């Protein structure tokens, strides 16, 4: 699995689970809880694959520093490509970029670094634990589980989004 599809899977597995919860009978609350827990566990396992791909020695996209001063940062061109150190990079070393709304220069750009990987792992682990801890919820279980899984999608998306518009969508 390439990095872009892994990042997309990490973000949207909970959303798929939330949509599939709509197919359940409202009275089968225990089955819905188990199903939602399975999707939080799957998301956590996917983040473990991300941890396996992470190489702390790879600098990724970093500013170019000379004598303690930033000489050049990477820049994102209008076509979505990245220029760093005079070279055009067609792919992120730690993510993916696909044009989304080209007229406004908005891309579906996901990536990770040494800060976002632990945050994604922590978010998915705490979401899994929170799903277990919320087993005693008795009122409006379907709505609760759907909103819980959508919240997990938003939290993970915030940590993996590299485009400001995409970040805003996940934040909201």
């Amino acid at each position: 699995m390439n990095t872009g599809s892994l990042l997309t899977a990490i973000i949207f597995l909970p959303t798929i689970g939330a949509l599939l919860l709509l197919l359940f009978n409202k009275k089968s609350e225990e089955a819905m809880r188990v199903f939602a827990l399975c999707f939080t566990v799957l998301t956590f396992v996917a983040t473990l694959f991300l941890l396996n791909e992470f190489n702390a020695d790879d600098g990724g996209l970093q500013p170019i520093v000379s004598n303690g001063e930033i000489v050049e940062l990477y820049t994102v061109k209008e076509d979505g490509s990245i220029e760093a150190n005079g070279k055009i990079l067609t792919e992120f070393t730690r993510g993916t970029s696909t044009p989304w709304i080209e007229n406004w220069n908005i891309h579906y750009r996901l990536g990770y670094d040494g800060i976002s990987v632990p945050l994604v792992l922590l978010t998915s682990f705490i979401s899994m634990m929170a799903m277990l801890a919320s087993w005693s919820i008795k009122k409006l279980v379907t709505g609760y589980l759907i909103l819980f899984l959508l919240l997990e999608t938003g939290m993970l998306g915030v940590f993996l989004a590299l485009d400001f518009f995409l970040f805003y969508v996940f934040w909201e």
Side-chain angles (χ1 to χ4, degrees), residues 33 127-138 141 144-145 148:
R33 286 186 186 100
S127 295
M128 186 175 60
M129 293 295 114
M131 183 60 72
L132 284 170
S134 64
W135 214 264
S136 62
I137 300 286
K138 301 291 182 213
V141 175
Y144 172 79
L145 294 174
F148 184 94

Side-chain angles (χ1 to χ4, degrees), residues 76 100 104-110 157-158 160-172:
V76 180
W100 184 16
W104 292 352
N105 197 24
I106 296 172
H107 299 306
Y108 178 75
R109 186 175 291 129
L110 301 174
V158 161
L160 295 174
L162 293 179
D163 187 87
F164 183 70
F165 185 82
L166 187 62
F167 172 84
Y168 178 76
V169 168
F170 286 124
W171 183 263
E172 287 299 318

Side-chain angles (χ1 to χ4, degrees), residues 18-170:
L19 292 173
L20 291 175
L21 278 173
L22 293 171
L23 302 175
F24 277 78
N25 183 354
K26 301 277 187 208
K27 296 182 183 190
S28 58
E29 293 176 353
E30 193 68 20
M32 287 189 289
R33 286 186 186 100
V34 170
F35 187 78
L37 178 63
C38 287
F39 269 87
T40 59
V41 169
L42 283 173
T43 304
F44 179 66
V45 169
T47 60
L48 292 176
F49 282 113
L50 179 65
L51 178 64
N52 186 42
E53 282 192 18
F54 179 66
N55 178 6
D57 295 331
D58 175 18
L61 295 173
Q62 299 291 327
I64 298 166
V65 179
S66 174
N67 296 327
E69 279 187 39
I70 295 176
V71 176
E72 181 181 346
L73 291 169
Y74 64 89
T75 55
V76 180
K77 301 288 188 179
E78 287 184 21
D79 63 354
S81 63
I82 299 171
E83 181 180 348
N85 200 13
K87 291 194 281 186
I88 301 292
L89 306 174
T90 56
E91 291 184 5
F92 287 101
T93 56
R94 295 180 172 177
T96 185
S97 180
T98 305
W100 184 16
I101 306 170
E102 291 186 44
N103 293 339
W104 292 352
N105 197 24
I106 296 172
H107 299 306
Y108 178 75
R109 186 175 291 129
L110 301 174
Y112 61 95
D113 58 12
I115 294 175
S116 61
V117 168
L119 291 172
V120 167
L121 278 166
L122 184 64
T123 300
S124 63
F125 179 74
I126 288 176
S127 295
M128 186 175 60
M129 293 295 114
M131 183 60 72
L132 284 170
S134 64
W135 214 264
S136 62
I137 300 286
K138 301 291 182 213
K139 289 184 179 179
L140 304 171
V141 175
T142 306
Y144 172 79
L145 294 174
I146 289 172
L147 291 175
F148 184 94
L149 291 172
L150 292 176
L151 174 67
E152 185 179 9
T153 293
M155 292 186 297
L156 293 169
V158 161
F159 293 129
L160 295 174
L162 293 179
D163 187 87
F164 183 70
F165 185 82
L166 187 62
F167 172 84
Y168 178 76
V169 168
F170 286 124

